[in-house]
Amino acid sequence: MTATATPTRSGPVPSDRHVVPTGATWLARDTWTEATRHLTATRRNPELLVFATIQPIMFVVLFVYVFGGAIQIPGFASYEQFVVPGIFAQTIVFGSAFTGIGIAEDMSKGFIDRLRSLPMYPSAVLLGRTFSDLLRNIFTFFIMLIVGLFVGFRLEGGLVDAALATLLLLAFAYAFSWIQALIGLSVKSVETANSAGFMWMFPLTFISSAFVDPSTMPGWLQPVAEHNPFTIVTNATRALYNGYDPGMDVVWSLVWAAGITVVFAALSFRKFTSNSK
Amino acid sequence: MPAVIADGLVKSFGDTEALRGVSFEIERASVLCVLGPNGAGKTTAVRILTTLLRPDAGRAVVDGIDVVADPRGARARIGLTGQYAAVDERLTGFENLQLVGRLFHMRTAQARSRARELLERFSLTDAGDRAVKGYSGGMRRRLDIAMSLIADPSVLFLDEPTTGLDPRSRLQMWDVIDGLVADGTTLLLTTQYLDEAERLADDIVVIDNGSVIARGTATQLKSASGGDRVEVTVSDRDDVDRVPVVLAGSLQAGVEPVLDHAARQATLPMSSTDHVVPRVVRSLDEAGIDVVDVVVRRPTLDDVFLQLTGHRAENDTDADDDDSTSAAVPEGAAR
């Protein structure tokens, strides 16, 4: 008895095995299939899970208890109301580095070539990867939120504002996944993807309003911190979590997130296809 | 119509011309072996035929589909197993197979039953639900080939399927490929090893520096390269020079014997290999030469290359280390 390779029924299956189905549904299905590959792997891979849970817990706890006594920010009842949104933003933006590392790993092991030789939508390779990273980031976010609530952080702005702030953070992290995707596609090894992926995120996240008020920084550094898109998204989400008026920061954060996504997704897709030149 | 047509394929990377007009065809249900040293252009040709690279010029047709005009159409008809086992080692063997099945747009139930079937066929049933991370090199290659077969491809491309395998896994891989051939799979196989090509292929195309330098069956190529050789080891180093003189009557014309005094060895091209060992031993005995060993060996890729191009195959470091072809027995190639 042999299981036949030829589909026998109509429905969501092409009638001929050589006919390549097209359309948005199939793109979504290919993307989801690719995403489940990474989600299954993440579940199995304790190191990744540890990074996704322990590391954010440590960050919240360390910052709140180590710096909490020393730092007071005018306008905030406590340091945790100020810093926890910053840690949210930093952690999930850092989490985007795994997009690049994962892509570099798939490339170095020849798995990307395997996928490129399949009749799937080629774009689903990158869409599936970034989508699975978005889901992982959501998981990480909720772990951090629970720990944040434990150490005294409160959603002063109400649930709607908090939900909006969270969506903003996730949109930003998704945008950064595409920067990392381009890095992962451009480098030659997993090690390079690792260092190239993390290196620039330290200055990006620290020269910002995430942990301290930029007005305490040296004069020459202040404009850098103030115009840093990471500052803008941190300010927007911090205001929303604390029930302050975020002003135009929400709009500008969305513009940044959309802009980064469009530009770097386009560059990544181009890089992905140009490997065949 | 042939299953695969490569017609004048040209491909350059910067200043390097990887392919300079390579043409060949593969008939349905036959096995073509592309033979050549590292850097000859074998992988480039495979990557063009499997839509991973676009040719600068020329035409590549797989199962009637032009791979440049309709890459996704071509991909639905091919299976590719590259030089490195392209498996996701974080997943189980079953999950890897199911993944590829779904990306071939099978229904989930169908992908699952096909995955189980292939695990059984490649003796991976017991390991099927374990993470691939713990698989041996041979198991990974078998899984890799199983993944390439999931949608029953019209043509299967195997790029150096045995490179880097230990001799035992290599033999297992040959059995797997024999099975595919018996099932009537159309196969393109690249290799650096003549014995592998001889064992598996119906037709052989030899490429060097991006050009086809010979084509034919294994027998045709070997006779072109001077046929079988006999390797005689004697106990007295001074006798080495006498060996070709004593055996002059049985030698093939036009191919120089190779004499290695340090190893006390003479490698001689024979005009006929019938009863060759008794004849050689008897003649040398009568001449009073003490013979330690006589080995008949078939020409290697090195010999074919030497004959066809005038230069060595330079296919690996081992070959570079050997100043004489005498040490390159076919088994030695199975690293």
Side-chain angles (χ1 to χ4, degrees):
Chain A
M1 136 109 203
T2 54
T4 170
T6 318
T8 46
R9 248 160 290 169
S10 59
V13 175
S15 56
D16 181 330
R17 70 186 162 100
H18 291 331
V19 172
V20 182
T22 52
T25 325
W26 288 100
L27 173 61
R29 188 183 184 265
D30 285 353
T31 301
W32 176 242
T33 305
E34 236 319 75
T36 39
R37 173 165 79 93
H38 305 303
L39 295 174
T40 311
T42 309
R43 262 205 332 269
R44 294 261 172 71
N45 192 334
E47 292 157 51
L48 261 184
L49 270 189
V50 165
F51 187 88
T53 55
I54 308 289
Q55 197 248 18
I57 293 173
M58 281 204 317
F59 262 56
V60 173
V61 172
L62 286 177
F63 268 91
V64 168
Y65 290 123
V66 175
F67 297 109
I71 304 177
Q72 282 190 340
I73 310 281
F76 289 85
S78 63
Y79 184 54
E80 50 261 34
Q81 286 305 114
F82 178 84
V83 80
V84 169
I87 295 172
F88 286 172
Q90 192 206 28
T91 306
I92 65 171
V93 162
F94 266 54
S96 71
F98 288 98
T99 307
I101 295 169
I103 288 174
E105 206 163 79
D106 274 348
M107 295 231 299
S108 68
K109 291 192 174 149
F111 205 86
I112 296 275
D113 276 351
R114 152 139 272 145
L115 295 175
R116 289 174 66 227
S117 75
L118 300 180
M120 65 187 290
Y121 270 98
S123 48
V125 174
L126 298 180
L127 289 171
R129 167 70 71 174
T130 51
F131 185 61
S132 71
D133 288 328
L134 178 64
L135 295 181
R136 189 174 36 79
N137 257 330
I138 293 175
F139 173 78
T140 307
F141 172 80
F142 279 103
I143 298 277
M144 280 192 299
L145 179 63
I146 291 165
V147 178
L149 293 173
F150 257 104
V151 300
F153 173 69
R154 292 294 172 262
L155 302 173
E156 303 286 359
L159 281 181
V160 175
D161 276 9
L164 179 60
T166 306
L167 288 177
L168 210 57
L169 281 179
L170 292 171
F172 218 72
Y174 187 72
F176 270 62
S177 273
W178 286 105
I179 302 182
Q180 299 287 3
L182 184 64
I183 292 174
L185 288 167
S186 308
V187 297
K188 293 269 179 281
S189 74
V190 181
E191 290 73 24
T192 322
N194 204 329
S195 44
F198 277 112
M199 203 100 73
W200 55 276
M201 289 200 298
F202 281 98
L204 178 91
T205 54
F206 278 94
I207 306 172
S208 77
S209 68
F211 306 105
V212 296
D213 184 346
S215 66
T216 62
M217 295 178 188
W220 57 270
L221 203 56
Q222 288 182 21
V224 180
E226 273 154 20
H227 293 95
N228 184 347
F230 190 73
T231 295
I232 297 169
V233 73
T234 307
N235 288 348
T237 54
R238 179 180 286 142
L240 288 168
Y241 284 128
N242 279 290
Y244 299 157
D245 177 15
M248 286 300 284
D249 282 343
V250 173
V251 176
W252 282 119
S253 311
L254 284 174
V255 169
W256 270 106
I260 292 173
T261 305
V262 167
V263 169
F264 283 88
L267 290 173
S268 297
F269 285 130
R270 211 178 72 165
K271 183 81 191 161
F272 188 77
T273 352
S274 76
N275 285 344
S276 67
K277 295 274 162 58
Chain B
M1 183 180 192
V4 173
I5 304 169
D7 184 11
L9 295 178
V10 174
K11 181 73 190 175
S12 297
F13 301 104
D15 292 339
T16 317
E17 287 180 274
L19 294 181
R20 312 163 192 248
V22 164
S23 304
F24 54 77
E25 292 181 353
I26 311 177
E27 293 305 323
R28 276 175 207 282
S30 80
V31 181
L32 176 81
C33 186
V34 177
L35 179 70
N38 265 342
K42 303 188 297 290
T43 298
T44 306
V46 168
R47 289 176 69 83
I48 288 174
L49 287 166
T50 55
T51 75
L52 297 180
L53 276 179
R54 291 168 76 92
D56 298 337
R59 200 167 59 107
V61 179
V62 172
D63 204 10
I65 304 278
D66 186 307
V67 301
V68 176
D70 182 11
R72 285 187 76 201
R75 286 170 197 152
R77 292 150 199 267
I78 60 167
L80 166 65
T81 297
Q83 276 182 39
Y84 309 98
V87 294
D88 191 327
E89 56 176 26
R90 307 167 302 174
L91 305 182
T92 65
F94 176 75
E95 286 164 346
N96 268 288
L97 286 163
Q98 194 191 343
L99 171 86
V100 175
R102 285 184 54 85
L103 292 175
F104 265 103
H105 306 114
M106 293 176 170
R107 275 177 300 140
T108 306
Q110 186 193 351
R112 293 174 74 89
S113 71
R114 182 78 176 134
R116 290 282 172 222
E117 182 195 328
L118 284 165
L119 284 172
E120 193 179 326
R121 174 163 168 197
F122 288 97
S123 321
L124 291 167
T125 305
D126 292 340
D129 292 320
R130 291 208 311 266
V132 172
K133 207 174 284 182
Y135 283 24
S136 69
M139 288 163 81
R140 283 171 195 234
R141 296 275 175 126
R142 294 211 300 279
L143 177 62
D144 199 2
I145 291 188
M147 285 161 79
S148 310
L149 288 173
I150 199 124
D152 202 6
S154 309
V155 184
L156 180 62
F157 294 86
L158 297 175
D159 193 8
E160 302 201 9
T162 64
T163 299
L165 289 188
D166 60 77
R168 187 162 154 268
S169 305
R170 186 164 183 245
L171 289 176
Q172 281 180 350
M173 187 53 66
W174 283 4
D175 285 343
V176 166
I177 296 170
D178 281 341
L180 299 176
V181 173
D183 289 351
T185 311
T186 307
L187 206 65
L188 185 152
L189 175 86
T190 74
T191 185
Q192 303 182 20
Y193 310 124
L194 184 63
D195 58 330
E196 184 160 294
E198 180 179 9
R199 159 83 195 263
L200 300 169
D202 297 316
D203 290 298
I204 299 174
V205 166
V206 185
I207 62 175
D208 184 40
N209 285 324
S211 305
V212 175
I213 55 170
R215 61 184 87 215
T217 63
T219 320
Q220 288 167 343
L221 285 175
K222 273 190 309 180
S223 56
S225 74
D228 291 349
R229 283 152 168 73
V230 108
E231 197 176 278
V232 180
T233 311
V234 295
S235 62
D236 185 350
R237 142 190 320 228
D238 295 334
D239 283 339
V240 171
D241 289 329
R242 292 177 56 212
V243 173
V245 180
V246 171
L247 296 175
S250 316
L251 296 187
Q252 193 191 43
V255 186
E256 281 298 303
V258 179
L259 305 178
D260 184 343
H261 293 89
R264 290 174 282 115
Q265 259 178 4
T267 304
L268 312 158
M270 305 303 284
S271 53
S272 153
T273 46
D274 291 342
H275 306 105
V276 68
V277 176
R279 267 195 293 131
V280 166
V281 174
R282 207 176 303 128
S283 308
L284 293 175
D285 245 4
E286 283 166 6
I289 297 173
D290 184 22
V291 179
V292 177
D293 199 8
V294 175
V295 176
V296 181
R297 70 172 186 85
R298 336 225 51 188
T300 62
L301 177 62
D302 244 7
D303 301 323
V304 173
F305 262 77
L306 209 53
Q307 194 66 23
L308 290 171
T309 67
H311 70 82
R312 276 187 191 293
E314 288 167 13
N315 57 333
D316 54 38
T317 47
D318 281 6
D320 291 343
D321 291 341
D322 296 327
D323 288 335
S324 130
T325 52
S326 62
V329 294
E331 285 78 13
R335 290 171 307 119

